[in-house]
Amino acid sequence: MNASGEVIGAILILIGAIFSLISAIGNVRLPDVYTRSHAASKSSTLGVLCALVGTLLYFLISDGFFSIRLILGIFFVFLTAPVAAHVICRAAYRSQVPLAEQSVQDELKDYYMENEIFEVEDKVELVNDQAK
């Protein structure tokens, strides 16, 4: 076995474990669903990606084995985790889950208030048209 492959793989896997630990601490310590989602999506995605890249490089350098499964795992984690976090935050906001008390500004409030008014007016017009 090649010692450099083991060292590079071990360092990347260790970095991935550290990022995953930071993500777990963030999920416990942060105050609301929005900041927890940020911690879960960003740092855990980076942690899993580092661990998978470390595993891929270890097997590639040490054994000369290239795994398409690891590449697909990297691709799907990189693609799905941030999108899922965004959808969860959007659903929480639209369900009016409150922000943390420490939050300074809610930039989406005006946008959603404007659009909710139009949606309600459209629904009322639709109901009135159907009643006629």
Side-chain angles (χ1 to χ4, degrees):
M1 294 207 171
N2 193 351
S4 65
E6 291 179 4
V7 171
I8 292 171
I11 289 173
L12 283 171
I13 291 170
L14 182 63
I15 290 171
I18 290 169
F19 275 114
S20 295
L21 177 66
I22 291 169
S23 175
I25 292 170
N27 278 332
V28 172
R29 301 269 312 181
L30 292 173
D32 62 353
V33 68
Y34 308 106
T35 54
R36 287 179 184 163
S37 176
H38 181 74
S41 68
K42 304 296 181 201
S43 58
S44 68
T45 300
L46 188 59
V48 170
L49 290 177
C50 283
L52 290 175
V53 168
T55 305
L56 178 73
L57 289 178
Y58 170 76
F59 285 115
L60 186 64
I61 293 171
S62 295
D63 298 337
F65 177 73
F66 181 78
S67 175
I68 193 68
R69 290 181 185 168
L70 287 172
I71 296 293
L72 288 173
I74 291 168
F75 175 74
F76 285 121
V77 166
F78 188 69
L79 183 69
T80 59
V83 172
H86 173 75
V87 170
I88 289 169
C89 283
R90 186 172 177 173
Y93 192 83
R94 290 185 68 118
S95 299
Q96 299 175 349
V97 174
L99 297 169
E101 293 177 5
Q102 298 90 357
S103 297
V104 177
Q105 186 174 1
D106 184 5
E107 294 179 358
L108 290 175
K109 187 175 187 177
D110 294 333
Y111 175 77
Y112 277 112
M113 291 298 284
E114 224 173 70
N115 288 335
E116 289 295 326
I117 291 170
F118 290 128
E119 287 178 13
V120 169
E121 289 174 359
D122 291 342
K123 289 178 185 176
V124 169
E125 289 176 10
L126 182 65
V127 169
N128 289 337
D129 290 341
Q130 290 176 351
K132 290 180 184 179

